[in-house]
Structures are given as structure tokens and as C-alpha cells.
Amino acid sequence: MDTLISRAECPVYVDLDGTLIRSDLLWETLFLFARQNPLQFCRVFGWLAQGKAVLKDELAARVEFDAATLPYREEVVAALQAEREMGRRVVLATASNERLAHAVADHLGLFDEVLASDRDTNLSSSRKLERIQAGCGAQGFDYFGNSQDDVCLFQAARQATVVQPDRAATNWHTGADPHTRLIRDEGHPARALVKALRPHQWMKNVLVFVPIVLTQEFLNFGLFFAGFLAFLSFSFAASSVYIVNDLLDLSADRRHRTKRNRPFASGRVPIPTGLLMAAGLLVLSFGIAAFLPPTFALVLAVYLAATTAYSFALKRMLLIDVLTLAGLYTMRIVGGSAAATTQESFWLLAFSIFFFLSLALVKRYTELADFGSGASRAVTGRGYVDEDIETIGQAGMASGFASVLVLALYIDSAEVNSLYNHPYMIWPLCPLVLYIIVRIWVLARRRQMNEDPVVFILRDWRSQIMIAIGAIMFAGAAYV
């Protein structure tokens, strides 16, 4: 009985960043600020020069923060609820800014008190320990933490609970009392790291081979090796952009039915790790580009500039976002031409713009359908609302039909007559492309399109059959 009484009198203190949530609110607010106020981002460096506490305070005051969307650790929340039911006092003790900490406390309703950083004090490590010891008195305290900054608190606590520890906290736990609790996430971290790269999206970059294939020089190893290098360079650059895009979209992704499970939105991969990955991939991409003609590096730089602008601003602009996406797909084709030093075809680029505009509109259509009725710009993170869904559908179908019209005009052009021995053999391409486009839109309207439409085409066996038939027709027209 005495043990139960003393345990009930001993308060429980819990860290926030990395412990109660699978993320860090300093990094979260930094990217929120970059997204919500991109033109003012340079001010961050001035605040940082005044100290970490000032930086946290300024960011917390200038972002729209929703504590309900954070990736909470269910096991930690459940443990704290059990402690409260035993009558214990539970305190949130965090180095995050007090505005954010109180928002979290209000959302969870678990805490009797909040200790947090203010503009003058960054409440971490020994500062946090001093504040806790001053408040808990002789009865001591229990502590939930996860990092090197928490080691001194682990050592001073009556009982420590180590949550998803970093290297320093892991080393401490290894030599600690065997009754010390350990809470780890399930699953292999390497799998989340690979998923963050979105390697399935690399399939889009096979577009760099389109101008190479159209040269009909199938035995020219040099051309295809150049295309392979261009494919790798675009893939690594795209993964770098996907990471930054995911970091800027954390709040919107967490409101989405499926995107909330992405590695960064779910907190499975830390934000600093994502930044290191993005930087490394970017260096690798341009390192590969150095082995290709300088024109390719220029195309790659323009692609990255456009994707960066898309991530920070263009993706939230009505129609500008889908036009940009269509242009980015087309730039892969231009990049393939630059890598292999082939001449771009006006017809190919025109077809690409209309075809990929239709697919970009499919993507927006399915996103709005997933959000359902009541979707607003604030919820979707885009420039669309639920009333736009029919307009998007009509525009997407029209754009798809326009791409087929461009293809028909190309097939009837003098250029085709000079390139192919039997140009009439490629006329069936028009209904094949029409089949692919209409089928995708039918599936989207049935709410059966659950992935990127370009990736869907490359994975779908029916679309693969249509592409194979088209390839056979091209070969027959050229060589029969």
C-alpha cells in the first residue's frame, strides 16, 4: 500500500518532440512557415541569430498550427491515460514553444500542467531538469523521453521510459536498470526510408526514352546508355523534390485518407533525415548529369526550378498547378532528347502537353473525390473546392481528346510519310490512346483510381497491352 501511495504522489513528466509525437515541432513549424510565408523565409536566419528560443517563439507566432493532425504515439498516449486513471499528476515538459505545447495539451486533455520554452528560455536538457526538480519536490518524478537531451533526466528520474531512442538514449538504456521501460515503433526503418524516395514514381522517367525510340536506331547502344543515365538523373532529382514536397505538405497530407501514412506525415522518417536525403540525391543527380551533354544539365536545372516553384507556390494555384505538371512530364521528353542529342518533334511535344494535362487533371479529380463533400482550399492544400470536381472532369476529358486529335494530325502529316514505309499502319494508335484516356477517366469517376495515373498506366496490364500493340504498329510501319 505504501508503494502505491508513493507512486501516486510521484508526478509523471513527458517530453513532446520524438516522444509523445513522432516528429519535432521546431522542424514542423519551420516547414509550415516556409509553406505559408515563402517570401519571408529569409527572416528565419535573423531569428536564429538571436537564439533558438527566439526562433521557436517567432515561428510559433506566425504559423497556423493544428495540433489534431500531429502523429501521436498511441502507446505513449495510452500509458499516460493509465497513469491519470491511477490518480497521478501528468505534466507535459517540452523544449517546444509554449504556444504549441498548450495547443497539444488542449487537444489531448491529458495534462495537469505544461512546462515549455518561451522567448527567453529554451527548456531543454539541464534547464528542463532544474524546472522539474523545483516543482516535484522530494517525492521525485517519472520521465518519458527519447534523446540525448533527455539522458540527464533519465538519470534523475525514479523510473524512466525510453521512447524510440536516438543513439545516446539507446546507450544509456543499455546500461540502465532492467526495469526501465522501452517503447519502440514497429517495422523496419529502412523500409520507410525507401518509401520516402517513392521509387515507384521513377517509372514516369521512362519518358526520357520516347525521343530515343522514335529515332528508330534500336541498335545504337550509345543512345540508350545516354537515356539510361538521363533516367537515373531524373529519378534521383525527382526523389529529392518529392521529399521536399512531402515536408512542405505535412499538414495537408495528414488530413488525407491515404497520404497520412506517408513516411514524413506519419513521422516514421525524421525531418532532418529527409533533408539529408534530399541534398544527397540532388548531388548524385547532377553528378550523373555531368556525363551527359551540357544541354541536359540545363534541362534538369529548369526542371528542378519548376518543381521547386510548384512545391512552394504553384501547386496551390487554380489550373496553374496542372499546367505545370503537364509541362514537367513534357520536360522529361525534352531531357531525353538533350541526353541523346536528338531533335525534338513539335508533334510529340504538343501531344505530350495535352495528354499529360488530362492525366494531371485526373490526379486532382481523384484527390477532390477522396476529400469528399465540403473540401476547401484549406483542407486540400490546393486551389480547388468540391464544387470544381465536374469542371475538372470535363476539362480532363477534353484535353485527352485534344491529344488524340494532335496524334491524328501528326499521322496525316508529311513528316510521317517521310519517316515510315507504311504510315497507314499507325492510324490505329488513335483509338488505342483514346481507350487508355477514357478508361482512366471512367475508373476515376468510379472512385477506383487510387494512384498516380501515369504510374497506373505503366502498371495496368490493359494499358500495357495497348502500348505493346502501338509499339508493334510503329515497328511494322517503319520496317515492313
Side-chain angles (χ1 to χ4, degrees):
M1 181 66 71
D2 292 339
T3 302
L4 290 175
I5 293 173
S6 61
R7 179 176 171 81
E9 291 176 349
C10 177
V12 179
Y13 290 82
V14 58
D15 181 44
L16 175 57
D17 299 321
T19 303
L20 183 61
I21 63 172
R22 291 186 180 90
S23 191
D24 186 302
L25 291 187
L26 174 57
W27 288 105
E28 292 263 346
T29 52
L30 189 66
F31 277 93
L32 269 177
F33 184 74
R35 175 179 172 174
Q36 295 171 6
N37 305 279
L39 299 180
Q40 299 183 39
F41 190 75
C42 59
R43 302 182 66 181
V44 166
F45 302 102
W47 298 330
L48 181 59
Q50 299 176 59
K52 206 169 181 179
V54 172
L55 174 63
K56 292 178 179 179
D57 187 72
E58 291 288 352
L59 289 173
R62 296 170 188 273
V63 298
E64 296 178 14
F65 175 75
D66 185 1
T69 64
L70 292 175
Y72 293 96
R73 295 187 188 276
E74 294 82 2
E75 191 171 352
V76 174
V77 172
L80 296 176
Q81 288 173 335
E83 298 292 356
R84 278 186 64 88
E85 289 171 1
M86 292 175 58
R88 301 186 69 184
R89 184 164 166 266
V90 181
V91 181
L92 180 62
T94 174
S96 290
N97 184 264
E98 55 189 357
R99 292 185 182 88
L100 308 180
H102 281 287
V104 169
D106 291 342
H107 169 67
L108 292 177
L110 283 175
F111 303 105
D112 300 290
E113 185 183 354
V114 174
L115 305 179
S117 298
D118 55 27
R119 190 175 182 85
D120 300 317
T121 305
N122 183 40
L123 196 69
S124 65
S125 193
S126 58
R127 294 190 186 93
K128 185 191 293 187
L129 177 59
E130 291 171 3
R131 185 78 63 85
I132 289 174
Q133 288 178 328
C136 68
Q139 71 265 35
F141 64 95
D142 290 353
Y143 186 74
F144 286 67
N146 74 297
S147 69
Q148 180 178 0
D149 288 343
D150 296 318
V151 170
C152 63
L153 291 112
F154 293 148
Q155 293 169 341
R158 278 193 0 165
Q159 182 182 43
T161 301
V162 184
V163 181
Q164 194 64 22
D166 63 12
R167 181 176 299 179
T170 298
N171 291 338
W172 180 87
H173 177 262
T174 302
D177 186 295
H179 297 293
T180 298
R181 285 195 296 181
L182 176 66
I183 297 176
R184 282 189 181 275
D185 288 336
E186 296 180 359
H188 201 285
R191 187 175 301 173
L193 291 173
V194 172
K195 188 177 179 181
L197 300 178
R198 296 200 218 172
H200 64 284
Q201 297 283 7
W202 293 1
M203 298 172 70
K204 299 176 183 179
N205 298 318
V206 298
L207 291 171
V208 301
F209 290 101
V210 171
I212 297 172
V213 170
L214 292 179
T215 64
Q216 302 178 25
E217 297 183 37
F218 300 112
L219 300 179
N220 190 330
F221 175 78
L223 284 181
F224 282 91
F225 183 69
F228 176 69
L229 291 180
F231 171 84
L232 290 179
S233 183
F234 263 105
S235 295
F236 294 144
S239 287
S240 175
V241 172
Y242 290 142
I243 289 171
V244 174
N245 191 50
D246 284 350
L247 294 177
L248 291 169
D249 267 357
L250 289 174
S251 295
D253 284 352
R254 287 170 183 159
R255 297 186 185 98
H256 193 273
R257 178 173 56 87
T258 57
K259 291 181 180 180
R260 63 188 178 188
N261 297 318
R262 287 178 172 176
F264 297 107
S266 65
R268 300 290 178 182
V269 177
I271 293 175
T273 301
L275 290 175
L276 289 174
M277 290 170 61
L281 289 166
L282 198 59
V283 170
L284 188 57
S285 174
F286 276 97
I288 294 172
F291 293 95
L292 295 170
T295 310
F296 175 80
L298 178 61
V299 173
L300 184 64
V302 173
Y303 169 83
L304 285 168
T307 51
T308 301
Y310 175 81
S311 296
F312 278 93
L314 301 183
K315 68 190 301 179
R316 292 182 291 280
M317 296 184 181
L318 181 69
L319 298 181
I320 299 297
D321 61 335
V322 289
L323 291 170
T324 302
L325 285 176
L328 291 174
Y329 285 121
T330 303
M331 287 195 68
R332 291 172 168 91
I333 296 175
V334 175
S337 295
T341 60
T342 62
Q343 184 66 38
E344 298 99 343
S345 165
F346 162 79
W347 293 105
L348 175 61
L349 299 183
F351 168 81
S352 174
I353 285 291
F354 285 112
F355 182 78
F356 290 113
L357 176 58
S358 180
L359 298 187
L361 287 164
V362 168
K363 192 172 183 178
R364 290 294 173 263
Y365 183 96
T366 55
E367 287 175 352
L368 273 179
D370 283 342
F371 280 111
S373 61
S376 63
R377 295 180 183 180
V379 171
T380 64
R382 302 287 188 257
Y384 304 90
V385 295
D386 56 353
E387 291 90 347
D388 299 331
I389 193 165
E390 279 307 312
T391 302
I392 291 173
Q394 293 167 12
M397 288 289 290
S399 182
F401 279 97
S403 71
V404 177
L405 177 60
V406 170
L407 179 60
L409 292 173
Y410 167 69
I411 292 172
D412 197 43
S413 68
E415 184 176 339
V416 167
N417 289 323
S418 64
L419 286 174
Y420 299 96
N421 297 326
H422 304 286
Y424 64 88
M425 293 184 66
I426 58 178
W427 266 107
L429 279 177
C430 292
L432 291 179
V433 174
L434 200 59
Y435 170 85
I436 291 173
I437 290 171
V438 175
R439 181 166 177 269
I440 282 179
W441 275 103
V442 168
L443 292 177
R445 287 180 176 274
R446 290 178 180 176
R447 308 294 192 265
Q448 296 176 1
M449 179 63 60
N450 299 317
E451 58 184 327
D452 186 289
V454 177
V455 176
F456 173 82
I457 289 174
L458 296 174
R459 286 178 170 177
D460 175 54
W461 66 269
R462 294 178 180 85
S463 299
Q464 290 170 356
I465 289 174
M466 297 299 110
I467 293 171
I469 293 173
I472 292 171
M473 288 176 178
F474 261 113
Y479 296 110
V480 173

